[in-house]
Amino acid sequence: MYQQNPNPTGSLFLSALLALIPLVAVLVLLGGLRWKAHWAGLTALVLAIGVAILGYSMPLGQALNSAAFGAATSVLVVLWITFNAIWIYNLTVHSGHFAVLRRSFSSISDDQRVQAIVIAFSFGALLEALAGGGGPVAICSVMLIALGVDPMKAVALALIADTAPVAFGGMGNPITVLNTVTGLPADTFGAMTGRQVPFLAMLVPFVLISVVDGKRGLKQAWPAALAAGGSFAITQYLVSNFWSYKLCDIIAAVVSVLAVIALARVWQPERSIPPVIAGGATTDSRRDVIVAFTPYAIIVVIFSIAQIVPVKKFLDSLTYKFAWPGMHLVAPNGKPIKVEYALNWASATGSLLFLSGLITLVVLGISARRGLEIYGQTIRQFSWAILAIFAVFSLSYVMNYSGQITTLGLWLAGTGAFFAFLSPVVGWFGVAITGTDAGSNALFGGLQVTAAQQLGTSPFLFGASNSSGGVMAKMISPQNLAIGTAAAGLVGREGDLFRKVFGWSLLLLLAMCVIAYLQSTPVLGWMVP
């Protein structure tokens, strides 16, 4: 039996420095030394195990078992989702319908800056809303590359864009997790988050055109960024506050695409970038266009059906849960920690995507044998990225179960009223470690609420800030870097990609910190439900 001690050194500051070692190692190895993601992840994992054993007195067996549980968790949480999302994409490539989809997007505008907004921001948001995981990064990266964007830049664009919708991604899963770990109403967390991330949604399209074309892009293509970001932000706020946080990203993504299409009919940016002609002058029939979009329509339908209460209850009833063998943990307050593996094979996001893929096989006229071959090719496409994902998830669970994560949270929470500014930073750390906003909320949601109660502040503000701040770390998380480089054929260059997006991650995080702090004061306090 291992009882967690969040302050093993007797000094919370020194304990926090100890707990920071694995996370700092990841950032330095990726950004400073440009190591490959799997080696950086494995090194950080070894350090985390070392800190757990030597610093936190966690038994070796428990530390290694925590790592094994993390790796097992990543199979359903990331790999099963990503494999199936990319498999569906690869099916459309094989059938030739991806080229049709590509030409459909390019028909909106032949300007790369507008294409980056439509594909990475709007279409990526739809994918994030439906499935989350690494699907949006992988699919949007390849789509941008096919339109002529440099591979490294394409992955960077996809990573940066996959921020604004993440807090409500996977049918609002991060918000649902906040409800699970705190017991407070999910709808109120959703409403509060919907009063924070729309500010981010306004900024992201401008960042994208800046990455594509610098200051010239901002000067010439800002109307497209304003149309996409503004329409997305307003819709995201309205739907999350007055309808359903689970649906807000889906509706916001569609509205933003329609806004850009409407703008493109009366305005096009100056042709300062040589236009990219996707697929030459081929004219696609209406039927081909419909079939090209059908796989994603299938995903929308399948996920919508899965959210119907009776269907959802039935799928959830098929989940097999079991206590993870050998894990015997006690929280600092003496309460046992339940380490349970939920094999939700029927309701898992990846399973719903797999079902969508099977239907796509029929729609696209691909044989079962060929579909299986393409699935094998999809798995091989990720190669070392799979090891990186295993390593990062193992790292997150070792840090969590040993108490290192709690140490960092308590240290930051000890800053008093200034914690309102740092609250998003806690979420950022969580996503940097776990790679998912839901994972960060699971780790720190309870801590955020406790800190709010101690400071006499709204728990919904701090809980939402954890989710809103966390999304900025999606672009630097080793597992997402690994997914992006694998999809773009850049495996081994995760360090270069990290350096390309790290500055944007910090800049957007700073903006969210300022918003959260002002919402804790009379300046913007009226925004808190």
Side-chain angles (χ1 to χ4, degrees), residues 87 90-91 94 361 366-381:
W87 177 50
N90 285 337
L91 291 175
H94 172 75
L361 280 177
I366 301 174
S367 68
R369 179 178 178 179
R370 183 57 184 147
L372 183 61
E373 291 175 350
I374 295 172
Y375 203 102
Q377 294 169 4
T378 300
I379 295 176
R380 288 193 295 272
Q381 178 180 342

Side-chain angles (χ1 to χ4, degrees), residues 234-245:
I234 293 172
T235 306
Q236 195 177 47
Y237 161 71
L238 292 174
V239 178
S240 64
N241 276 265
F242 303 108
W243 190 3
S244 168
Y245 71 86

Side-chain angles (χ1 to χ4, degrees), residues 145-366:
I145 293 170
L147 290 172
V149 179
D150 172 76
M152 182 64 71
K153 183 180 289 186
V155 182
L157 289 168
L159 285 168
I160 294 170
D162 195 32
T163 48
V166 168
F168 297 108
M171 303 299 292
N173 189 44
I175 304 301
T176 302
V177 168
L178 280 176
N179 160 252
T180 302
V181 299
T182 67
L184 297 175
D187 288 335
T188 309
F189 278 122
M192 185 64 240
T193 306
R195 303 177 192 196
Q196 292 179 327
V197 290
F199 290 105
L200 179 64
M202 285 289 297
L203 295 174
V204 168
F206 289 94
V207 174
L208 296 180
I209 58 177
S210 176
V211 171
V212 174
D213 196 32
K215 293 181 179 179
R216 180 179 60 178
L218 289 172
K219 181 179 179 181
Q220 297 176 352
W222 66 265
L226 182 61
S231 61
F232 190 98
I234 293 172
T235 306
Q236 195 177 47
Y237 161 71
L238 292 174
V239 178
S240 64
N241 276 265
F242 303 108
W243 190 3
S244 168
Y245 71 86
K246 294 184 178 182
L247 299 176
C248 68
D249 274 355
I250 294 176
I251 299 173
V254 173
V255 169
S256 66
V257 169
L258 295 177
V260 176
I261 291 175
L263 176 67
R265 291 187 175 182
V266 297
W267 168 90
Q268 286 290 339
E270 182 181 336
R271 299 286 194 262
S272 58
I273 297 180
V276 178
I277 306 299
T282 302
T283 301
D284 300 302
S285 67
R286 183 183 295 263
R287 180 185 181 280
D288 285 340
V289 173
I290 292 175
V291 173
F293 278 93
T294 296
Y296 300 100
I298 291 171
I299 295 174
V300 172
V301 172
I302 293 295
F303 276 82
S304 298
I305 293 174
Q307 291 302 313
I308 299 174
V309 175
V311 177
K312 182 175 176 58
K313 286 185 177 179
F314 172 72
L315 295 176
D316 287 340
S317 70
L318 300 176
T319 297
Y320 175 62
K321 297 181 179 180
F322 61 92
W324 191 260
M327 290 299 294
H328 308 290
L329 305 176
V330 176
N333 60 8
K335 291 184 179 180
I337 297 175
K338 192 176 184 180
V339 183
E340 187 177 68
Y341 192 87
L343 187 61
N344 56 332
W345 63 272
S347 61
T349 299
S351 299
L352 297 178
L353 282 172
F354 182 68
L355 176 59
S356 302
L358 294 178
I359 299 173
T360 298
L361 280 177
V362 178
V363 173
L364 299 183
I366 301 174

Side-chain angles (χ1 to χ4, degrees), residues 128 133 159 162 166 431 435-436 470-477 480:
E128 178 65 37
L159 285 168
D162 195 32
V166 168
V431 175
T436 68
V471 302
M472 266 69 79
K474 284 278 286 187
M475 66 181 83
I476 64 165
S477 170
N480 291 302

